[in-house]
Amino acid sequence: MSLPLLRAENVSLRFGGLQALDRVSFDLHEGEVHSLVGHNGAGKTTFIRVLAGVYTPQEGRILLRTGDGLEEVRFASPRDAQRFGIETIHQNLALADNLDAVANVFLGRERVRHLSLDEESMETEARRVLERVGAKLPSLRVPVHRLSGGQRQAVAIARALLFRAKVLIMDEPTAALGPGETARVKGLIRALREEGLGIVLISHDLHDVFDLSDRITVMKGGKVVGTVRACESNQEEVLGMILAGEAKR
């Protein structure tokens, strides 16, 4: 098997007396959807915040593929993780509702020309990447609060892709979407996998998890319970791992 895009080795993190992560190991390959599942409080969100540069682990290390090998990296901030090609789409999408799609795609990384915003260049690039993800918006210039849930998800994904993401972390991407929009977002995730992105998916919906995933890692109490291949497992087995906190023997 080829080298992973990303590998976490024995990552541990403590908040005061709380052991939030306990020797978590995880890897992600090019063109793979690797899901994290578990009850609330299992450590999933804390772990992806480590991958995204929000938290620095006290033990263990994060490695990224660079050239022909893996290189250890340390992130001082989410901006550091973004520079290494790790983008996160949070459950709330982190969109500025009063701004339009173009402004949201470039939010925090706006282009400036002659001391003013380069609106023409940004609109051209935003249109290109939104077309790439198949977004059908009524206009690029309407405030995003007027868009549907699926359209807003597409804007958030477009923002990540514009800056050459290699690893895409998606937290509950189909939450609160209707069946039609859920199907469109899932189709987009499959298309991104075909393009070679590595996708870390968090979802409480095991049906979606099995529909999209290549591998599934179960967490409980800040630890990894086990990892299974979706094609070799089923919802009953994974639910049993979540409840029991141990892999099926």
Side-chain angles (χ1 to χ4, degrees):
M1 184 176 288
S2 62
L3 286 173
L5 287 174
L6 175 150
R7 172 173 288 161
E9 294 182 348
N10 298 315
V11 168
S12 294
L13 181 65
R14 178 181 290 274
F15 298 115
L18 173 66
Q19 187 74 47
L21 297 174
D22 188 0
R23 293 169 291 174
V24 173
S25 293
F26 176 92
D27 61 22
L28 176 71
H29 287 265
E30 185 175 345
E32 177 184 41
V33 177
H34 191 161
S35 290
L36 285 170
V37 299
H39 289 310
N40 290 336
K44 308 182 303 296
T45 299
T46 302
F47 179 61
I48 65 168
R49 286 176 177 170
V50 168
L51 299 182
V54 176
Y55 300 139
T56 300
Q58 289 140 347
E59 297 177 21
R61 58 183 188 157
I62 306 295
L63 302 103
L64 293 176
R65 190 173 75 191
T66 57
D68 296 326
L70 292 174
E71 177 184 344
E72 183 176 357
V73 293
R74 292 186 70 83
F75 305 138
S77 69
R79 187 60 61 91
D80 282 350
Q82 289 172 332
R83 279 195 284 265
F84 280 95
I86 300 174
E87 293 279 350
T88 304
I89 300 175
H90 300 281
Q91 186 173 356
N92 65 6
L93 302 182
L95 298 177
D97 283 343
N98 61 313
L99 300 180
D100 60 31
V102 176
N104 271 284
V105 166
F106 281 91
L107 192 63
R109 292 178 278 194
E110 293 82 0
R111 291 180 179 175
V112 177
R113 186 168 180 261
H114 302 314
L115 302 180
S116 61
L117 293 177
D118 189 350
E119 297 283 1
E120 182 177 353
S121 170
M122 289 193 296
E123 180 167 337
T124 298
E125 284 297 298
R127 186 181 305 278
R128 178 186 62 79
V129 73
L130 284 163
E131 287 176 353
R132 174 184 168 191
V133 302
K136 293 180 173 30
L137 308 185
S139 167
L140 295 184
R141 291 302 186 180
V142 299
V144 296
H145 72 80
R146 291 170 54 184
L147 302 180
S148 69
Q151 290 168 336
R152 288 164 56 85
Q153 186 73 246
V155 171
I157 292 171
R159 180 172 60 196
L161 297 183
L162 183 65
F163 296 97
R164 297 181 177 85
K166 298 176 184 177
V167 172
L168 191 59
I169 300 169
M170 305 186 76
D171 188 2
E172 301 286 355
T174 61
L177 298 184
E181 292 205 311
T182 293
R184 282 190 285 274
V185 170
K186 288 164 73 172
L188 177 52
I189 292 171
R190 293 188 186 101
L192 296 176
R193 176 175 58 188
E194 290 301 313
E195 289 186 19
L197 268 74
I199 299 173
V200 181
L201 176 68
I202 290 182
S203 178
H204 285 92
D205 189 325
L206 288 183
H207 177 76
D208 285 354
V209 167
F210 273 89
D211 198 23
L212 292 168
S213 303
D214 298 288
R215 288 187 294 159
I216 303 164
T217 289
V218 177
M219 294 186 67
K220 185 170 185 176
K223 297 181 179 182
V224 168
V225 174
T227 298
V228 298
R229 293 193 175 278
C231 63
E232 298 172 353
S233 184
N234 54 56
Q235 292 189 39
E236 183 180 1
E237 179 183 9
V238 169
L239 184 58
M241 292 168 66
I242 292 171
L243 294 173
E246 60 183 23
K248 185 177 179 180
R249 299 187 184 278

